[in-house]
Every structure is written in C-alpha cells, then in structure tokens.
Amino acid sequence: MFKAMKNEGIVTMWRGNAINCCKIFPENAMRFYLFEYLCESGRLNVFDTDFLNKLTNGAVTGMIIQTAMYPLEITKTRVMTSPTKITMKDAFVQIWRESNSSILTRWTNFYKGFKPALIGVMPFAALELGISKKGTEMYNQYIGTSKVGYWPLFFIASTATFTAMGCTYPFRLLTCQMQAYTGPEKHRLGLTALSKKIWRTERVRGFYRGFFANGIKAIPASAVGWTVFNMSQGYWDSYITNRTRSYS
C-alpha cells in the first residue's frame, strides 16, 4: 500500500472507485430487497428453525447477486490490480480479448474465478445477512421496540460481517488471485491447483493473506450499509404511516 502511494501518490488509493460505485449501488439495492422479500414471503422456508431459514435466504440472495454482478467485479479487480493505470474500458477490452474463442463464448471471460467466488459468497451472504437479521430481531425483542438505534445496528452488522469473513476469506483470496491473473491461458491455475500452491508455500496463513486490510474496509462498509438500510426503512415506514393518517 505504502509503495503504491509513494509511486503514484495518494490518488492511487481510489483507483477503481468509479466502477466500484457503479457496482455497489445496484448490488446493495438488489441484495437487501431480495433478502427481505425472501424472508417476508417465506418461499424458501424449508426448515423448522427461523435462523436456518434466514441463512438459506441469505445464501440464495448471495448466489443470485453474485451471478448478476460478477462481470463488474472482475473488471473492478483488473482496474485495481493492474501494474499500470488503466480505465474501466481498457480492463473490459483486455478481458474480452483474453481468449481466442468465438464471439459467442467470449462472455465466459468475465466469469473467470466464478467457482470459488460462488462457493465463498453463498456462506458469506448466509452468515452476514442471516446473523444481521436475526441479531436485529433479537435486539428488538430485548428492548421491546421496533426502532433500533444506529450504534446497535452497526455493532450487530459488524459482528455478522466479521464472522462471515473469517469463515469464507480463503475463497475470497482464491477468487481475487484468479481474477487478477493476466498471463497466458495455458498457465492459468484452476481452483484446486491454486489452493495446493498456496498450501505448499504458506500453509494456512497463506489463505488469510490480506485479511486485516480487507477487514478494515469490508466490515465498516457492510455495517454502514445494513444500518442505513434498516434506519431508512424505519423512516420510510413512519412517513407512509403519517401520510396515511393525514388522509384518513
């Protein structure tokens, strides 16, 4: 990090931020909406335990959102990890031209590393959303109100994200390494081969490389997202209620 700042200045810390904003806005909107819809509709409630149903809803939500947003994810990774400064368009063209396959199948270039990403995101989303939802409901029952303050929501979501990251980070690491690879296709390592390589060289520690740096960013970002969503939902419900009363 400090080497990059020395070579390119502090602006390099925001490399890829534009595409990240383009990705995170619709991603969070769809993620929260779909998760709440599944929880309220009960369409996937196959267990007798409410918490297990929330985990299932979170996992399905993560799978759908990851599939839809993955092309933007891999493009963002290329922009951020490129040794030279490139634009989103440059990264898109680079990924598109990486294989000599037909035009009809080149779209698969944007799903490289998708397998570990999907394996990792399903338990991550299940734990993050499931624990956040269940924790918020338990806190509501404990204090006897439907309105939860900013800091309790933030703490609940931070705990959920930390738990989810700790359980699934190895898959995140594998995904990033597979996304960032720009060498010859014949030398590209698959999920199993890459896992074995990391295990041989660094053992367990290698699968958690960069965990602290990712946690500094991901935990507060996810916590703020969950907190703002719940508080905005509460304000909107109050607005609709008051507006309905004024017309009655």
Side-chain angles (χ1 to χ4, degrees):
M1 180 178 72
F2 293 108
K3 183 179 179 180
M5 290 177 62
K6 183 179 179 181
N7 294 335
E8 302 179 39
I10 195 171
V11 179
T12 192
M13 295 294 102
W14 278 266
R15 183 195 290 181
N17 189 53
I19 188 173
N20 187 57
C21 292
C22 292
K23 167 184 172 290
I24 203 69
F25 179 77
E27 179 181 27
N28 273 349
M30 291 188 295
R31 185 164 65 109
F32 289 136
Y33 169 78
L34 182 58
F35 178 68
E36 288 294 322
Y37 171 76
L38 291 175
C39 287
E40 292 180 9
S41 66
R43 290 177 178 271
L44 299 179
N45 290 356
V46 295
F47 298 102
D48 295 331
T49 307
D50 179 61
F51 181 58
L52 291 179
N53 287 325
K54 286 181 170 56
L55 293 180
T56 303
N57 293 332
V60 172
T61 299
M63 178 185 67
I64 294 173
I65 301 304
Q66 182 74 0
T67 303
M69 303 302 297
Y70 195 78
L72 277 177
E73 176 72 22
I74 191 172
T75 305
K76 180 196 76 170
T77 301
R78 290 295 179 86
V79 172
M80 296 175 65
T81 60
S82 173
T84 58
K85 188 176 181 180
I86 62 174
T87 64
M88 183 169 62
K89 180 182 177 181
D90 295 332
F92 184 90
V93 172
Q94 181 189 74
I95 297 169
W96 178 259
R97 294 176 175 174
E98 278 183 350
S99 68
N100 296 321
S101 58
S102 66
I103 294 179
L104 294 177
T105 58
R106 282 192 180 184
W107 63 269
T108 59
N109 291 349
F110 292 92
Y111 282 87
K112 289 173 180 175
F114 182 68
K115 185 186 295 184
L118 191 61
I119 295 173
V121 79
M122 290 182 68
F124 179 87
L127 291 169
E128 183 191 34
L129 294 172
I131 294 175
S132 295
K133 182 74 172 178
K134 187 64 177 179
T136 302
E137 291 178 351
M138 291 175 66
Y139 186 81
N140 285 340
Q141 294 174 1
Y142 177 74
I143 63 175
T145 180
S146 60
K147 293 184 178 180
V148 184
Y150 180 89
W151 290 112
L153 284 170
F154 187 87
F155 177 77
I156 291 168
S158 297
T159 304
T161 305
F162 179 79
T163 304
M165 276 193 66
C167 295
T168 64
Y169 188 78
F171 293 105
R172 176 63 180 164
L173 179 78
L174 291 168
T175 301
C176 288
Q177 292 203 12
M178 294 178 74
Q179 289 176 343
Y181 180 78
T182 58
E185 283 298 307
K186 63 181 180 180
H187 294 150
R188 179 183 292 276
L189 296 178
L191 175 60
T192 304
L194 184 58
S195 300
K196 289 180 179 179
K197 179 183 176 182
I198 296 174
W199 177 259
R200 284 197 306 267
T201 55
E202 301 178 72
R203 298 296 179 183
V204 175
R205 185 177 180 181
F207 289 98
Y208 282 88
R209 188 195 314 150
F211 179 82
F212 180 72
N214 272 273
I216 292 176
K217 176 255 181 187
I219 293 175
S222 297
V224 168
W226 177 258
T227 302
V228 172
F229 168 72
N230 276 272
M231 296 193 73
S232 299
Q233 194 176 40
Y235 291 140
W236 177 255
D237 290 342
S238 298
Y239 171 76
I240 294 298
T241 302
N242 294 331
R243 191 176 179 83
T244 302
R245 287 175 180 174
S246 64
Y247 283 109
S248 60

